[in-house]
Amino acid sequence: MTVRSVLRQKGLLARIDDWMNPIVIKELRQAVQSRFVVTALLVLLSIQLLAVGIYILAWRSALIDLDAGRWVFMLLYGILLGISMLFVPLYTAIRLFAERSDTNVDLLFITTIKPRSIIAGKLFAAIILTILIFSACMPFMAFTYFLRGIDLPSIFVVLLLGFMIVITCTQAAIFVASIPVNRVLKVIFGLVVLWVFLMIFISTMGGMNELFRMGIGSRLGDWEFWEGVIGFLSLFTLLIGSFFVLSVAMITPPAANRGFPVRVFMTLAWASLGITVLIGSVINKTHTPVAVWQVVFSSTFALALFIAVSERDGPGRRVLRSVPQSKLKRAVAFFFYSGAASGLTWASVGIALTLTLAWIWSKLLPAYSNHDDLIGGLKWMGAMCLYFFCYALSGALLRRHLLSKVGSELTWIFGLILMIGGIVVPFMIGYLLFFGDEWWKEDYENWLVGNPFAWNGISSKALYLGIAVVWAVLVAALNLRWFIERVSGFRPLIAPIDQSGSSVMAQIHDANIAFEPPGRQERQDA
Amino acid sequence: MKVEVVNLKKHFGATRAVDDVSFSFSSGQVVGFVGPNGAGKTTTMRILSTLDEPSDGDAMIDGVSVVEEPERARHLVGYVPDSLPTHRDMSVHEYLDFFARAYDLKGERREQVIESVEEFTNLTGIREKMLNALSKGMKQRVSLARALLHDPPVLIMDEPAAGLDPRARIELRELLRVLSSHGKAILISSHILTELAEICHAAVIIEHGKILMAGAMGDLLMSSVPRRTVLIRVLEQQEELHRELLQMPHIENARLIGSEIALEVNGTEETCCDLLVSLIQRGYRILEFKQQRANLEEIFMNVTKGVVQ
């Protein structure tokens, strides 16, 4: 009796089949039948075989060298990682992009399948494809062990890291494919992502070489090694998770509460990583982890300000339907729900909490190393976030009052144009009116006011901060009425009542056109 | 089962794609949704299918609001969009199996449903064919099969006959007739108005987001004609009858065309009945007495202005 027949008898296969995400089944069925996938796999294996053959034949003397295994492994690993980082994300993203361009995704939305299942299915199918590619290359990798210069733990750790990098890149590619922009912009985004992938590839190969030089097998007992592994795994989890929730938000219909999962995930990531870096800071008696944490999350929340102003002006009826009745729950919900006002509040509070907590930490433990770096980073991030706040809200004001015909989803473009103007215009005025031929000898630093990234370069910090504070207060005041209206409008949806006291349901009877069922119509005709 | 569209509005910035549209229809009815391009048909249909949210108003399917309870409403609606399935590397059966899984159909039930839908839409013979190898007519049947997988009581069909050859159109029409006789409420948009007139029980004419005219098909065809045209065919005495008709009250015009006489009668249906009785009493042997109706195309051209937003 085979395993398959046992499974069939118990109905386990059927149950697994029913339980599986339909997207995974569809993607794998299509991958199996796709010539592209089969060709890519065969090309990869041929290149690996060719590379090993050429190395052995051309450098036979090198085989006596004790490092031959390491060099061959690095060669094979480069081929595997390069092709996987290019093929898997590209294949997955192009397929999603093609589906998103027509009504296929729309058709999925009217089934019972959830947007998160769509993205999870795409990712899971990509994971299976990556496992298939890595497994096919595994014999070549294991072969390098016999050439000496590399140990098995090193091979597995490096393959695991490579696998995680490919999955992270794939999720990033899925995110780019989910962005609802036109073909041209998507190609531009795609090229930027490819460039980032190339940088990651080069850094990974450099890092792996360094790891091999130090030797992984002998470091398995070191806490420092595992600290690094935990750090990398946390980074991958954060990146995959962030891109995942963002991709889900991108394909979720605008009418839904699509900001909610993103904000909940980012808040949880912020809190859990915050606790982790505090523990790391105490163990190593250094402020470096906290400094990195505050830079990462301050920047993320600053970017979130631009995303927030581009959200729907107010939550739609579908979102309001799920607003809690209780005032306390409603107040908490306001931070996390979709809508421009909620997004602005969430991002602003996030920035304030991140900077305040890091500042308190620096005051509590002044003796830890890199204290000055933390303080310097806090000032830099504080100023940058303040300017981001000003540009985002100014962009929102501009769109609402002067360009009201433009959809709210384009508000970030106005903010970005203002920011570019703020960076370039003051400097150009100074250059044209006051500088000599050798501008770099002039005291040009004060002309960097308006540049959110210029904290370290500016000489008059008071002027730089003063302008930002006055501007922030002004735009906040100008947006206050709009904000209060949004807060007061954030209430659970109740069916509108007309003057006679009947609800929308009753108005149906007054609908101006109604057709009788055909049976009744025929009877009347008769 | 009743579909009720109530004061539906959808604005895209300053553009009013759907402007206060209300109508309702019931099980077993096929309702034609007619209008020029950009009239608001697709937007209305997308709202009914829960794909878009209205700016105001609502639509109820068997009392379930598409705005308030889209998840419940989705079980009641099958949507056939104007585009056809384009999945590559996928057979017809795999495509339907995928959507059956997406509708949460499990195990043997899923297999049974797919088989019966394939049989109904005449796809059994091509179930293993790849989607990209199908003709437009076949793809349209696949699209309809997909929409029927969860056995929805309401079908929303956006331009299903676009680009189909005459045979495929006739097959689609027959399928819709059967579905209607099975009690499905069908809202269908099309530019092929002669087709619509043949299968629809009612029609809604929309332009610029507003309903211009709506009602049962018979009422629409009658109400839009200022004068009644009647065709009479007699066995003999055509010329004598023609002369006599020109002398009669309520007859605006009479033309002898071969063996037939076309009359323009200024009056009600009762006037036409009286005319028939009078002609029989005068001894004319009448073979045919037919009141001619306007067609949907004429009505469409009369009421719409071709305004695109």
Side-chain angles (χ1 to χ4, degrees):
Chain A
M1 189 180 273
T2 61
V3 176
R4 194 179 167 82
S5 61
V6 171
L7 288 172
R8 190 170 284 172
Q9 266 185 0
K10 293 184 182 294
L12 270 176
L13 269 182
R15 242 180 277 168
I16 292 168
D17 188 39
D18 284 342
W19 170 81
M20 276 186 79
N21 184 329
I23 303 283
V24 177
I25 296 171
K26 177 186 91 79
E27 290 295 319
L28 292 179
R29 270 179 182 164
Q30 286 179 291
V32 168
Q33 292 177 30
S34 162
R35 284 184 200 154
F36 184 56
V37 175
V38 177
T39 311
L41 199 61
L42 286 176
V43 166
L44 173 66
L45 290 174
S46 309
I47 292 175
Q48 292 225 330
L49 193 65
L50 212 64
V52 174
I54 289 171
Y55 187 88
I56 291 170
L57 290 174
W59 290 282
R60 254 181 243 172
S61 58
L63 294 176
I64 306 160
D65 183 2
L66 289 175
D67 270 349
R70 178 151 70 93
W71 289 115
V72 177
F73 182 85
M74 285 302 288
L75 181 69
L76 295 179
Y77 188 69
I79 295 166
L80 171 66
L81 194 65
I83 291 183
S84 303
M85 277 178 74
L86 190 71
F87 166 69
V88 182
L90 211 64
Y91 174 75
T92 312
I94 287 174
R95 290 183 54 78
L96 179 60
F97 172 59
E99 285 177 14
R100 196 137 166 66
S101 305
D102 51 37
T103 47
N104 289 322
V105 176
D106 275 354
L107 293 178
L108 281 177
F109 285 148
I110 51 170
T111 65
T112 50
I113 206 160
K114 299 271 185 293
R116 67 168 177 275
S117 301
I118 298 174
I119 297 296
K122 296 273 175 195
L123 181 65
F124 198 67
I127 289 174
I128 293 173
L129 203 59
T130 313
I131 290 172
L132 179 74
I133 292 171
F134 272 58
S135 312
C137 296
M138 201 74 94
F140 294 99
M141 303 292 189
F143 167 73
T144 59
Y145 171 71
F146 299 105
L147 295 176
R148 290 169 300 180
I150 190 162
D151 51 15
L152 283 175
S154 302
I155 292 175
F156 290 121
V157 168
V158 167
L159 279 177
L160 180 69
L161 278 174
F163 179 78
M164 292 297 287
I165 289 168
V166 172
I167 299 307
T168 310
C169 290
T170 306
Q171 184 55 71
I174 289 174
F175 166 65
V176 173
S178 316
I179 301 173
V181 289
N182 62 38
R183 213 169 272 251
V184 178
L185 270 178
K186 207 155 263 191
V187 170
I188 293 169
F189 287 167
L191 289 174
V192 172
V193 168
L194 276 180
W195 182 80
V196 174
F197 285 1
L198 181 69
M199 294 297 112
I200 294 171
F201 174 74
I202 293 168
S203 326
T204 308
M205 290 310 290
M208 294 307 158
N209 195 31
E210 188 61 20
L211 265 177
F212 281 134
R213 203 184 52 75
M214 291 189 301
I216 295 173
S218 59
R219 294 168 64 87
L220 289 177
D222 283 0
W223 162 243
E224 214 174 295
F225 172 77
W226 290 110
E227 208 177 41
V229 170
I230 292 169
F232 267 107
L233 286 178
S234 307
L235 181 68
F236 289 135
T237 312
L238 178 68
L239 286 173
I240 293 173
S242 306
F243 283 129
F244 180 83
V245 288
L246 285 169
S247 308
V248 173
M250 287 292 155
I251 65 160
T252 304
N257 193 4
R258 58 185 187 171
F260 182 76
V262 179
R263 287 180 195 139
V264 168
F265 175 83
M266 293 310 291
T267 309
L268 288 175
W270 172 84
S272 55
L273 283 176
I275 292 166
T276 311
V277 297
L278 291 185
I279 294 167
S281 176
V282 171
I283 291 171
N284 296 312
K285 302 212 177 322
T286 175
H287 281 302
T288 305
V290 182
V292 172
W293 173 80
Q294 75 89 10
V295 168
V296 168
F297 281 98
S298 297
S299 311
T300 307
F301 286 126
L303 281 175
L305 287 170
F306 275 73
I307 297 169
V309 291
S310 308
E311 284 190 53
R312 291 175 69 158
D313 208 30
R317 288 158 65 188
R318 216 168 275 185
V319 175
L320 290 178
R321 189 167 59 95
S322 58
V323 171
Q325 292 280 354
S326 139
K327 278 187 180 174
L328 182 66
K329 283 183 185 168
R330 203 189 311 164
V332 177
F334 182 75
F335 281 89
F336 295 100
Y337 270 39
S338 279
S342 295
L344 274 173
T345 315
W346 175 78
S348 307
V349 170
I351 291 168
L353 278 177
T354 307
L355 297 176
T356 310
L357 287 173
W359 181 77
I360 292 171
W361 191 253
S362 74
K363 290 290 162 196
L364 283 175
L365 302 159
Y368 281 11
S369 67
N370 297 323
H371 181 262
D372 290 346
D373 288 348
L374 177 59
I375 296 294
L378 279 173
K379 287 176 181 170
W380 185 34
M381 283 294 117
M384 187 192 84
C385 291
L386 203 56
Y387 270 103
F388 266 66
F389 180 82
C390 296
Y391 284 119
L393 262 71
S394 302
L397 276 175
L398 192 68
R399 188 197 63 79
R400 275 207 308 276
H401 296 292
L402 298 178
L403 298 151
S404 56
K405 284 189 178 176
V406 179
S408 64
E409 69 278 5
L410 296 175
T411 310
W412 65 275
I413 294 178
F414 296 116
L416 190 65
I417 291 169
L418 286 176
M419 187 190 282
I420 293 167
I423 292 170
V424 175
V425 172
F427 186 79
M428 290 308 289
I429 291 170
Y431 179 77
L432 293 172
L433 299 181
F434 302 104
F435 296 171
D437 290 339
E438 296 177 323
W439 64 271
W440 56 90
K441 289 186 180 172
E442 305 278 350
D443 180 18
Y444 66 87
E445 289 169 349
N446 284 335
W447 293 100
L448 294 175
V449 286
N451 184 339
F453 313 103
W455 175 258
N456 284 341
I458 205 142
S459 53
S460 178
K461 306 237 191 284
L463 175 75
Y464 182 76
L465 263 186
I467 288 174
V469 169
V470 172
W471 187 4
V473 171
L474 195 68
V475 284
L478 289 172
N479 276 288
L480 191 62
R481 195 175 150 196
W482 166 85
F483 183 76
I484 291 168
E485 280 171 8
R486 297 298 166 280
V487 174
S488 55
F490 190 75
R491 291 170 188 284
L493 192 70
I494 303 163
I497 305 295
D498 68 7
Q499 285 178 339
S500 60
S502 58
S503 70
V504 157
M505 290 292 288
Q507 289 176 26
I508 287 161
H509 302 296
D510 304 327
N512 54 8
I513 296 118
F515 311 118
E516 293 299 318
R520 208 182 304 169
Q521 184 72 38
E522 280 157 16
R523 279 197 299 277
Q524 281 178 3
D525 289 349
Chain B
M1 166 63 66
K2 198 167 187 183
V3 180
E4 293 152 310
V5 177
V6 189
N7 306 120
L8 205 66
K9 290 176 188 168
K10 179 72 182 176
H11 304 161
F12 296 107
T15 309
R16 295 181 171 199
V18 180
D19 195 6
D20 208 11
V21 164
S22 300
F23 62 93
S24 66
F25 57 102
S26 316
S27 295
Q29 281 194 308
V30 183
V31 176
F33 204 34
V34 186
N37 291 330
K41 303 187 297 289
T42 300
T43 309
T44 308
M45 289 180 144
R46 284 179 64 85
I47 291 170
L48 273 169
S49 311
T50 74
L51 285 168
D52 277 335
E53 192 186 34
S55 308
D56 201 1
D58 207 338
M60 306 281 179
I61 298 167
D62 204 17
V64 177
S65 159
V66 297
V67 180
E68 315 250 324
E69 298 175 281
E71 295 84 8
R72 273 185 68 199
R74 271 170 211 151
H75 289 281
L76 305 172
V77 180
Y79 176 56
V80 181
D82 53 352
S83 62
L84 301 167
T86 54
H87 288 278
R88 293 185 68 188
D89 308 317
M90 212 174 193
S91 70
V92 170
H93 186 73
E94 284 170 346
Y95 179 77
L96 294 178
D97 178 71
F98 165 58
F99 276 99
R101 286 169 192 270
Y103 276 114
D104 214 19
L105 295 171
K106 293 189 189 299
E108 281 182 16
R109 162 121 181 88
R110 185 175 64 238
E111 284 304 316
Q112 284 166 2
V113 165
I114 295 170
E115 266 177 36
S116 66
V117 165
E118 282 174 345
E119 202 176 320
F120 176 72
T121 49
N122 203 12
L123 291 170
T124 315
I126 55 163
R127 62 192 302 221
E128 298 308 329
K129 263 199 165 187
M130 288 296 173
L131 280 176
N132 49 0
L134 297 182
S135 66
K136 270 190 178 176
M138 286 177 183
K139 279 186 181 173
Q140 194 56 264
R141 273 191 276 154
V142 175
S143 205
L144 179 62
R146 180 199 48 71
L148 291 172
L149 282 169
H150 59 301
D151 193 21
V154 179
L155 272 177
I156 311 285
M157 306 179 81
D158 194 1
E159 302 282 352
L164 299 189
D165 61 37
R167 173 177 283 277
R169 283 217 300 267
I170 291 165
E171 283 172 358
L172 181 70
R173 202 168 62 199
E174 289 313 309
L175 281 175
L176 292 183
R177 280 216 176 101
V178 176
L179 286 167
S180 155
S181 67
H182 286 187
K184 305 267 184 217
I186 302 171
L187 182 67
I188 176 172
S189 77
S190 177
H191 288 303
I192 305 162
L193 303 180
T194 45
E195 296 274 331
L196 278 187
E198 282 188 44
I199 52 169
C200 291
H201 300 105
V204 177
I205 301 177
I206 182 172
E207 187 176 39
H208 216 287
K210 282 181 183 294
I211 290 182
L212 300 179
M213 198 178 224
M217 195 58 85
D219 296 345
L220 279 180
L221 298 176
M222 294 306 294
S223 64
S224 61
V225 190
R227 285 190 217 98
R228 290 165 200 282
T229 304
V230 175
L231 277 178
I232 303 175
R233 197 151 66 89
V234 284
L235 200 59
E236 61 236 350
Q237 298 175 287
Q238 287 95 345
E239 285 180 10
E240 193 186 328
L241 174 62
H242 178 230
R243 278 195 301 275
E244 199 165 334
L245 283 167
L246 287 170
Q247 312 292 321
M248 289 177 125
H250 303 297
I251 306 294
E252 300 248 315
N253 193 9
R255 280 173 297 133
L256 184 61
I257 311 161
S259 61
E260 286 184 346
I261 299 167
L263 303 177
E264 278 183 18
V265 181
N266 188 4
T268 60
E269 285 194 326
E270 211 168 301
T271 317
C272 294
C273 282
D274 293 343
L275 175 67
L276 177 61
V277 172
S278 146
L279 292 178
I280 292 167
Q281 282 170 352
R282 288 174 196 213
Y284 288 107
R285 297 168 76 187
I286 294 170
L287 282 171
E288 205 173 342
F289 188 97
K290 189 168 71 181
Q291 188 177 324
Q292 252 193 342
R293 290 177 170 193
N295 62 38
L296 197 56
E297 272 178 4
E298 281 174 357
I299 299 167
F300 179 75
M301 292 307 288
N302 278 339
V303 297
T304 60
K305 293 171 189 152
V307 180
V308 179
Q309 295 191 77

